[in-house]
Amino acid sequence: MAKKSKKYLAALEKVDSSKAYSVEEAVALIKEISYANFDATVEVAYRLGVDPKKADQQIRGAVVLPNGTGKTQKVLVFARGPKATEAEEAGADYVGDSDLVQKINGGWMDFDVVVATPDMMGEVGRLGRVLGPKGLMPNPKTGTVTMDVTKAVNEIKAGKVTYRVDKQSNLHAPIGKVSFDAEKLVENFKTMQDTVMKAKPSTSKGIYIKNLSITSTFGPGVKVDPSSF
């Protein structure tokens, strides 16, 4: 097990591990104990009562946070003709078709989100082994396979966050930066929470949210009481 730094241990001492905080308390504490020498990302982490092995319990989607994420995403759009022009006008960082497929296969990965029109998925599918493991493969469930490329690019630039439950039933998502006002982080958190609750599968029985915490880059997690909001 990796040795924890003195700064981490000092931050951990301020967290009551026996307590589940309200979201307002948790956000205030996260801002207080963050010790990274840059504007750390604040993330929410869920342990859900779902079985990802079952197709109807594979939670996946996207949500636009009201206050953004604090990060400007580089958007790549696979499109041709008028849709390529539309993507460029919407502010996409990179737009192309087979030329970008070749470039990515050559090792280029200077982008954060990939959008594709449905007619391009035949070519984009060739990148499955490259984009898939990084979570970058366009998918209709996250709104990244669409003919409305303007809407897709605008939402991503505005702070759209994708989420997906992993094999251990965990779900992680960024909700902003430590520099955000506490009220903005709380608002983003509540938007994410509403989204996760609405995504609850009807076949999921028992406790849905088994554990919920907020953390910042390098810092310890702060447990949140789901009944506090």
Side-chain angles (χ1 to χ4, degrees):
M1 186 175 179
K3 185 179 179 181
K4 301 297 184 183
S5 70
K6 289 183 179 179
K7 290 182 178 179
Y8 177 93
L9 294 174
L12 186 61
E13 284 183 1
K14 296 182 179 181
V15 180
D16 184 348
S17 60
S18 66
K19 177 182 178 179
Y21 295 79
S22 70
V23 60
E24 290 81 6
E25 290 174 331
V27 165
L29 185 54
I30 283 294
K31 287 174 66 66
E32 178 188 342
I33 65 177
S34 177
Y35 60 85
N37 58 2
F38 54 88
D39 193 6
T41 296
V42 179
E43 185 178 83
V44 61
Y46 292 86
R47 178 62 181 264
L48 300 176
V50 297
D51 184 357
K53 294 179 182 178
K54 296 180 179 179
D56 59 356
Q57 294 190 30
Q58 293 176 359
I59 298 174
R60 182 176 188 178
V63 60
V64 178
L65 298 178
N67 301 300
T69 63
K71 178 183 178 181
T72 302
Q73 303 267 53
K74 288 186 180 180
V75 184
L76 182 154
V77 178
F78 285 104
R80 293 191 177 105
K83 287 297 171 183
T85 302
E86 187 179 320
E88 290 172 352
E89 292 176 347
D93 298 275
Y94 309 104
V95 182
D97 46 66
S98 55
D99 57 323
L100 288 181
V101 172
Q102 293 178 1
K103 192 172 181 180
I104 293 169
N105 268 328
W108 177 73
M109 294 291 289
D110 186 26
F111 49 88
D112 302 301
V113 185
V114 180
V115 175
T117 53
D119 59 297
M120 286 298 303
M121 286 307 293
E123 288 200 46
V124 178
R126 291 157 46 196
L127 297 171
R129 291 183 180 180
V130 179
L131 299 180
K134 296 182 180 296
L136 292 172
M137 196 67 184
N139 189 295
K141 290 183 179 180
T142 59
T144 49
V145 176
T146 178
M147 289 299 289
D148 195 346
V149 293
T150 295
K151 179 182 177 182
V153 173
N154 287 340
E155 286 186 344
I156 293 165
K157 292 291 187 179
K160 186 176 184 178
V161 170
T162 59
Y163 57 87
R164 183 177 187 176
V165 69
D166 65 19
K167 294 179 181 179
Q168 287 74 45
S169 303
N170 298 314
L171 187 153
H172 300 263
I175 57 169
K177 296 287 186 178
V178 166
S179 62
F180 279 24
D181 290 341
E183 294 79 9
K184 290 185 176 181
L185 284 172
V186 169
E187 189 178 5
N188 278 357
F189 172 88
K190 289 183 176 179
T191 297
M192 190 70 222
Q193 171 68 10
D194 288 344
T195 302
V196 172
M197 290 303 296
K198 289 175 182 176
K200 180 183 178 181
S202 59
T203 53
S204 173
K205 306 301 179 184
I207 299 173
Y208 179 48
I209 298 181
K210 292 187 173 182
N211 193 46
L212 172 56
S213 63
I214 299 176
T215 187
S216 64
T217 310
F218 301 147
V222 176
K223 190 174 182 179
V224 178
D225 180 3
S227 67
S228 68
F229 42 84

